[in-house]
Amino acid sequence: MDYDKLLTLSGELGYHLLLSGAEIYRVEESVRYLLEVFGIPNCIIVGISSPGQKPLTRMRRVGPHGTNVRKIEALNALCRCLCAETPDLDQAWEALQTAAADQTYFSTPQQLSAYFLGTAAFCLFFGGTLADAAASGLCGVAIGISLIFMSRLGTNLFFKTIAGGFVSALAAVVLVALGLGTHTNLIIIGAIMALAPGVVITNFMRDIMAGDMLSGLSKFAEALLTGAGIALGTGLALSLARMLGGAA
């Protein structure tokens, strides 16, 4: 058994799961199952030990990332396949590289369409009219354009959220002033749901309940910062609208 290659394989699997936004328990279980199938009983952070072999450890720093449910599912399926079939390590490595290299993303028009439909639906859910929903959908498109632009500039999540909240609230005020929509508050609420950290909140609750306090608290801090960014961006836009005499 090439333990160095096995450790690299398991470390890469955990790294790409984290990079795709997976919960920490899922990462730990996937790595542990994979090592157990290959006959390795001990693992600490991705480290293994076996009689007659020197201890080996791998560490990968996870940089800025988002949530890619498609890739999480692909990597989970790969882990189950490796555990069920226990293939040669070279074959397993090739399969992992193929899954990790999948860069399938929705096109910009598809993303903006999703922003429009999602935010419009949330506006209706919160009691807005059809006109409000249309306006909220346009605000959602403005958020999408803002996030795409800020991502290309390499801006971090906090400032992207501030920008998204700002453009959505400002767009809502302008659209109501133009007669498209009547309830500025409902339009804004529907639009900023595109920025709400729903997946992050779900993951930090799951991690804390599972006892993974460090991971859970870091996600909790991320959710708080995102919420602060939404409030700050929206508040700035509404304050600017009041100063210009266009407050709702």
Side-chain angles (χ1 to χ4, degrees):
M1 173 68 70
D2 188 335
Y3 292 106
D4 186 72
K5 187 177 294 183
L6 173 60
L7 186 57
T8 301
L9 172 70
S10 57
E12 286 294 304
L13 176 65
Y15 168 76
H16 285 292
L17 278 168
L18 278 175
L19 197 64
S20 302
E23 309 94 315
I24 194 66
Y25 87 94
R26 186 189 304 275
V27 177
E28 291 178 348
E29 284 188 350
S30 297
V31 173
R32 178 167 56 85
Y33 290 156
L34 185 60
L35 292 176
E36 287 177 352
V37 165
F38 282 94
I40 305 298
N42 302 319
C43 91
I44 302 177
I45 303 186
V46 185
I48 61 176
S49 60
S50 184
Q53 297 287 336
K54 64 179 181 179
L56 298 172
T57 304
R58 286 288 183 275
M59 181 178 291
R60 290 292 303 274
R61 182 181 183 277
V62 180
H65 60 283
T67 301
N68 188 331
V69 178
R70 173 192 174 93
K71 187 169 285 189
I72 292 175
E73 292 179 348
L75 292 168
N76 266 340
L78 173 62
C79 182
R80 289 191 292 268
C81 179
L82 296 178
C83 291
E85 300 178 3
T86 319
D88 178 81
L89 286 178
D90 289 328
Q91 295 177 350
W93 177 253
E94 290 179 4
L96 174 59
Q97 291 301 300
T98 300
D102 182 9
Q103 299 296 327
T104 302
Y105 294 104
F106 293 105
S107 66
T108 299
Q110 289 175 320
Q111 293 181 51
L112 296 181
S113 297
Y115 276 109
F116 180 88
L117 293 174
T119 52
F122 272 116
C123 183
L124 289 174
F125 175 79
F126 290 120
T129 64
L130 289 176
D132 292 336
S136 187
L138 292 176
C139 293
V141 171
I143 289 175
I145 294 173
S146 171
L147 294 180
I148 292 171
F149 176 74
M150 298 290 280
S151 295
R152 291 176 179 173
L153 294 179
T155 310
N156 63 40
L157 177 63
F158 181 67
F159 289 105
K160 286 194 293 186
T161 305
I162 292 176
F166 181 83
V167 298
S168 65
L170 194 60
V173 172
V174 171
L175 290 172
V176 170
L178 293 175
L180 179 57
T182 55
H183 304 94
T184 307
N185 57 335
L186 297 180
I187 294 171
I188 294 175
I189 291 171
I192 63 175
M193 290 303 293
L195 299 170
V199 175
V200 175
I201 291 173
T202 301
N203 284 353
F204 95 68
M205 290 297 296
R206 174 64 181 81
D207 285 344
I208 288 178
M209 288 189 292
D212 299 313
M213 300 301 295
L214 183 60
S215 174
L217 290 175
S218 67
K219 289 185 174 67
F220 177 64
E222 180 183 346
L224 285 181
L225 284 174
T226 303
I230 294 172
L232 183 58
T234 304
L236 286 173
L238 293 178
S239 297
L240 178 61
R242 289 191 180 93
M243 290 173 58
L244 297 176

